[in-house]
Amino acid sequence: ARKLTFSWGGNPGVGSLHRLRDAVENAWPGPLEIDEHSHAAMAVAYRAGAARLPFGMLRGYIGTDLAKQNPRIRSVTCPYTAEKLATVPAVNPDVTILHAQRADKRGNVAIDGIVGAAREAALAAGKLLVTVETIVEELPPAMNNVVLPHFTVTAVSHCPGGAWPSYAHGHYARDNDFYLKWDVIARERGRFTAWIDRHVRGTADHRAFLASLQGQAA
Amino acid sequence: ARKLTFSWGGNPGVGSLHRLRDAVENAWPGPLEIDEHSHAAMAVAYRAGAARLPFGMLRGYIGTDLAKQNPRIRSVTCPYTAEKLATVPAVNPDVTILHAQRADKRGNVAIDGIVGAAREAALAAGKLLVTVETIVEELPPAMNNVVLPHFTVTAVSHCPGGAWPSYAHGHYARDNDFYLKWDVIARERGRFTAWIDRHVRGTADHRAFLASLQGQAA
Amino acid sequence: MMTVAAARLLADGQVSFVGIGLPSAACNLARLTHAPNLVLIYESGTIGTRPTVLPLSIGDGELAETATCVIPLPDIFSDYLQAGRIDVGFLGAAQIDKFGNLNSTVIGPYDKPKTRLPGAGGATEIAAHARQVFIVMKATPRSFVKALDFQTSGGHFAGRTQSGARGSGPAVIVTDVGILKPRAETGEFALSALYPGIPAEEAKAAVGWPLAVLPALETCAVPSAPELEALRALEARTAAAHREPVRLPL
Amino acid sequence: MMTVAAARLLADGQVSFVGIGLPSAACNLARLTHAPNLVLIYESGTIGTRPTVLPLSIGDGELAETATCVIPLPDIFSDYLQAGRIDVGFLGAAQIDKFGNLNSTVIGPYDKPKTRLPGAGGATEIAAHARQVFIVMKATPRSFVKALDFQTSGGHFAGRTQSGARGSGPAVIVTDVGILKPRAETGEFALSALYPGIPAEEAKAAVGWPLAVLPALETCAVPSAPELEALRALEARTAAAHREPVRLPL
């Protein structure tokens, strides 16, 4: 990774992401360019991306040094009230990768539970790759639930457990223990690299990756 | 009514709204100011209103005379790409009135089916009045379905049949016949006024209004 | 014939933005015949809907019940239409000119109209952003005019390519007297195909501008038995469904 | 004591924007004691959630299952926070100054930080737009500083009233050594209430700026039996729930 566009980079409920810290503080394993925003701004940036507008706007970046550090945070003047509003460039990822609960054979994808900005990030993407817990013959009519229609989806992959260590609503809970263990694993470069070598580089697929962690994740 | 902000004014599947035509063409019963937009623009205007932004923007009003006729259609320049984007002022109704399926005792309102821009129009309002088919003790957790939380709702009124002649999903269908009859009723001032006097002014409440129409709506 | 001709223009798998009336009939006929994977989007927010009967409004309940999903109207316009995800948008109007510009706003001056029409609705942005636009209108000299009273939505107007419109504009006008397509050089619509039994002269007489004829003038095939059968069955189901009286909770 | 003190500040019926950790514990304690109609909103999109155990992340499943509704994150920030529908927003940070400005971005210079912190998240706009902000932080001279290394979100900064911020800024800082409130004239935080057994000197020593004492200095009541009972039961349920091992579909 060359550049990170983000609004929060931590281990939720635990603390720092040590690898992110090492990259920013010490340029290890390489320099990382930072494009830093707030959540509210990232939200309108994804929404603008999904709508193929070039920028998003908000009443934001008030009382903060963020706008001073990031030249991509700018403003527009309201053509009616002359108010100044903060702007951020639309985020249109080349590829968005999501994990969802279900897809059908045609590629329609159904997401249940806390959706965050998943829909916006999906529709903002150039290509949309989705891993799912289950693939069914046909999804039932979804009414007002969140669905990504097949013509917005580039590819679907069946990948049970693909949200781990996070959760998949209706399938399995968040592995809170692992978030604590990750703090230890990722703290030092050596231990982190060994873990990646063994469990990620050293396994053939996601099933083998999860199996290699059973009972001895740390 | 003094002024109408709108993007389409017809009798869906039937034809003209004769009373709207008479108001615009002949200023009957009084002059009506027109603030005319497209659907796409009204959508961003409501969305801006819900977010308490002063305007909405879109790639719109291309190849149309609308922008020439309505001075409220303006533009902003993107601070990143220098593109010009069309703008419309946010719509923030003093009062929004909605009909929904269900509310609970605390005032949470659940909407099922085709929601249009109901959520945006609701959240853009200064006051939000909702009529519902049924009031329940407590709504079940809605997950990703559309709910207007009680603290966004000013008042709820129990009004079965309140969507008529349109439909309430899960309760009753659209009264397509009446849309055809309305074309006849509303075509001439005299007949329209007589109908309003008898069925609207001449009834005590919504139940009496509906009852007065049973079997002889035209 | 218009419905069948419009249906034939749709390819399987396309994403189509549908209005009520003939476009809705044409799209559903296509879905029930040669294009089972056609994705129908109604502007009210239903995506991939598969109604068994034709809706009388874009808000009809069956559109929601049979849809892949139902989303807010603002998302339809921003994330689908504006984002360039619509292959075909259908439009009609009260007036059309030879470039496929449309008027559904007023007859007469805007400030003092002779006839106030319903207005743009979704048309302006459909005309701009759908990859292709199919126009469906009965041809009369009063509706196919030399100059519009008001331009509600744009066809092959001057400067379209620099205008910010994402789509390529109207690809075809399906009328009751034949099919018109634009000349590549000028964007001006000319007679492209005849219906069986309707001569070019009848088509020319129905259009208020001097209608040119494309060199490769075709004649459409008569509606096939399966097409007619599917259309009649759809219309019969629709009529039966709409005869059911509405029961209000009184 | 911090959790109980923070919980007491919440009035029944308020709409509260909650983060994980102590704010979440305080809000749920308030909901389980004196404020049963407190509306909890987590930034992930759950509105009116009533979890039986404390979540370890804003994405925990129980937050969704017990919520009045679950909405997209962009709507939370635009239609609720920016629209002025949040009564109380909770914030914490690595550094705070006497005006309640907060730093959760970097220690050291931004371009070459000594410590890179997680960043703003929702804090910048919570600080601007929530009607009131409650800050919850343990007090040490390293965190309660004279000058921030970086200002992530604004307290009673100069020009706040003309800045476009909808909210009135931080109303209180709940620390482990007492409660601070801003002086109306200057927006500068001063000691407002002591905890039983912790003298003002201890509070002053924990703060890196000369901490003034408000004239009406109060002493908080010790946690009541019902408060302690509710908190301990909540913590016990939480610990039990989080001991359950996660079963992956392998």
Side-chain angles (χ1 to χ4, degrees), chain C residues 119-230:
Chain C
T124 305
E125 282 74 27
I126 292 171
H129 298 314
R131 285 206 187 105
Q132 294 184 78
V133 172
F134 291 179
I135 297 172
V136 183
M137 281 174 74
K138 287 195 179 173
T140 69
R142 279 185 59 196
S143 56
F144 281 60
V145 297
K146 283 202 178 122
L148 301 177
D149 288 16
F150 186 93
Q151 185 166 322
T152 309
S153 59
H156 299 292
F157 58 91
R160 180 179 176 105
T161 49
Q162 289 82 51
S163 68
R166 294 187 73 108
S168 56
V172 63
I173 307 173
V174 177
T175 78
D176 52 337
V177 294
I179 294 176
L180 280 57
K181 289 194 175 171
R183 290 170 182 276
E185 325 82 62
T186 60
E188 207 171 304
F189 276 88
L191 191 60
S192 160
L194 297 170
Y195 294 147
I198 301 182
E201 285 61 41
E202 195 175 329
K204 286 182 184 177
V207 170
W209 69 77
L211 184 66
V213 176
L214 290 177
L217 183 67
E218 293 171 37
T219 300
C220 299
V222 292
S224 69
E227 283 172 337
L228 282 180
E229 203 175 299

Side-chain angles (χ1 to χ4, degrees), chain D residues 193-214:
Chain D
L194 296 170
Y195 294 146
I198 301 182
E201 285 61 40
E202 195 176 327
K204 286 182 185 177
V207 171
W209 69 77
L211 184 67
V213 176
L214 290 176

Side-chain angles (χ1 to χ4, degrees), chain B residues 23-42:
Chain B
V24 175
E25 294 168 16
N26 309 309
W28 189 90
L32 182 67
E33 192 187 332
I34 289 291
D35 174 23
E36 185 167 5
H37 294 278
S38 68
H39 277 357
M42 286 295 285

Side-chain angles (χ1 to χ4, degrees), chain A residues 19-178:
Chain A
R19 295 298 99 224
L20 175 60
R21 281 191 55 182
D22 206 12
V24 175
E25 295 168 15
N26 309 311
W28 190 92
L32 182 68
E33 192 187 331
I34 288 291
D35 174 23
E36 185 166 5
H37 294 279
S38 68
H39 277 356
M42 285 296 285
V44 298
Y46 277 123
R47 185 158 270 179
R52 297 298 188 276
L53 290 170
F55 70 97
M57 64 180 166
L58 69 161
R59 297 185 187 276
Y61 291 120
I62 295 164
T64 178
D65 293 338
L66 277 169
K68 294 176 203 161
Q69 291 294 344
N70 189 344
R72 289 163 66 80
I73 300 167
R74 298 182 189 167
S75 67
V76 286
T77 302
C78 172
Y80 308 97
T81 63
E83 288 168 89
K84 262 190 149 186
L85 296 156
T87 64
V88 282
V91 171
N92 283 108
D94 294 329
V95 182
T96 289
I97 304 172
L98 287 184
H99 187 72
Q101 283 96 341
R102 287 181 304 161
D104 68 15
K105 290 276 165 76
R106 301 180 65 206
N108 295 299
V109 172
I111 310 178
D112 302 311
I114 293 174
V115 294
R119 201 191 64 85
E120 288 76 10
L123 295 182
K127 290 189 189 302
L128 171 58
L129 310 184
V130 184
T131 55
V132 293
E133 294 293 329
T134 50
I135 294 181
V136 299
E137 192 61 34
E138 189 164 17
L139 288 168
M143 287 300 288
N144 305 111
N145 283 322
V146 181
V147 166
L148 301 167
H150 65 83
F151 56 92
T152 68
V153 179
T154 311
V156 170
S157 169
H158 183 221
C159 182
W164 184 88
S166 189
Y167 69 100
H169 194 95
H171 291 265
Y172 46 87
R174 190 173 186 265
D175 190 349
N176 290 311
D177 266 357
F178 186 77

Side-chain angles (χ1 to χ4, degrees), chain C residues 106-124:
Chain C
V106 286
I107 304 297
Y110 185 79
D111 288 331
K112 186 68 193 151
K114 193 167 148 284
T115 306
R116 173 66 227 196
L117 303 166
T124 305

Side-chain angles (χ1 to χ4, degrees), chain A residues 6-17 20-21 24-27 34-41 43-44 47 57-66 69-70 113-117 119-120 133 160-161 164 166-167 169-177 180 206-208 210-211 214, chain D residues 20 43-46 56-65 70-75 77-79 81-82 101 104-106 110-125 127-129 149-155 157 160 163-166 242-244 246-250:
Chain A
F6 79 121
S7 52
W8 197 79
N11 183 340
V14 179
S16 286
L17 284 180
L20 175 60
R21 281 191 55 182
V24 175
E25 295 168 15
N26 309 311
I34 288 291
D35 174 23
E36 185 166 5
H37 294 279
S38 68
H39 277 356
V44 298
R47 185 158 270 179
M57 64 180 166
L58 69 161
R59 297 185 187 276
Y61 291 120
I62 295 164
T64 178
D65 293 338
L66 277 169
Q69 291 294 344
N70 189 344
I114 293 174
V115 294
R119 201 191 64 85
E120 288 76 10
E133 294 293 329
W164 184 88
S166 189
Y167 69 100
H169 194 95
H171 291 265
Y172 46 87
R174 190 173 186 265
D175 190 349
N176 290 311
D177 266 357
L180 294 167
H206 194 73
R207 177 179 290 270
L210 291 180
Q214 290 289 74
Chain D
I20 294 304
E43 69 189 18
S44 51
T46 58
L56 285 194
S57 91
I58 54 168
D60 273 20
E62 206 201 1
L63 294 180
E65 281 154 15
V70 181
I71 68 172
L73 178 145
D75 292 349
F77 281 96
S78 61
D79 301 347
L81 181 59
Q82 181 171 272
N101 299 308
S104 56
T105 304
V106 286
Y110 185 78
D111 289 330
K112 186 68 194 155
K114 194 165 147 284
T115 306
R116 173 67 227 196
L117 303 166
T124 305
E125 281 74 27
H129 297 315
D149 289 16
F150 186 93
Q151 185 166 320
T152 309
S153 60
F157 58 91
R160 180 179 176 104
S163 69
R166 293 188 74 108
H242 293 155
R243 261 197 306 275
E244 283 177 29
V246 175
R247 256 165 309 193
L248 282 179
L250 266 178

Side-chain angles (χ1 to χ4, degrees), chain B residues 40-140:
Chain B
M42 286 295 285
V44 298
Y46 277 123
R47 186 158 271 179
R52 297 301 189 274
L53 289 170
F55 70 96
M57 64 179 166
L58 70 160
R59 298 185 187 275
Y61 292 119
I62 294 164
T64 179
D65 292 339
L66 278 168
K68 293 175 202 162
Q69 291 294 345
N70 190 342
R72 290 162 66 80
I73 300 167
R74 298 183 190 167
S75 68
V76 286
T77 301
C78 172
Y80 307 98
T81 63
E83 286 168 271
K84 263 190 147 184
L85 296 156
T87 64
V88 283
V91 171
N92 283 107
D94 295 329
V95 182
T96 289
I97 303 173
L98 286 184
H99 186 71
Q101 283 96 340
R102 289 179 302 161
D104 68 15
K105 290 275 166 75
R106 301 179 65 206
N108 296 301
V109 172
I111 310 178
D112 302 311
I114 293 174
V115 294
R119 200 192 65 86
E120 289 77 10
L123 296 181
K127 289 188 191 301
L128 172 59
L129 310 183
V130 184
T131 56
V132 293
E133 293 294 328
T134 51
I135 295 180
V136 298
E137 192 62 35
E138 188 164 18
L139 288 168

Side-chain angles (χ1 to χ4, degrees), chain A residues 50-53 119, chain B residues 7 38-44 47 57-60 116-117, chain C residues 17-18 41-45 47 58 71-86 91 120-127 129-130 166:
Chain A
R52 297 298 188 276
L53 290 170
R119 201 191 64 85
Chain B
S7 52
S38 68
H39 277 357
M42 286 295 285
V44 298
R47 186 158 271 179
M57 64 179 166
L58 70 160
R59 298 185 187 275
Chain C
F17 202 99
V18 191
I41 298 186
Y42 289 81
E43 70 189 16
S44 52
I47 293 183
I58 54 167
I71 68 171
L73 179 143
D75 292 348
I76 287 282
F77 280 96
S78 61
D79 301 347
Y80 287 85
L81 182 58
Q82 180 171 272
R85 296 185 185 278
I86 306 294
L91 290 177
T124 305
E125 282 74 27
I126 292 171
H129 298 314
R166 294 187 73 108

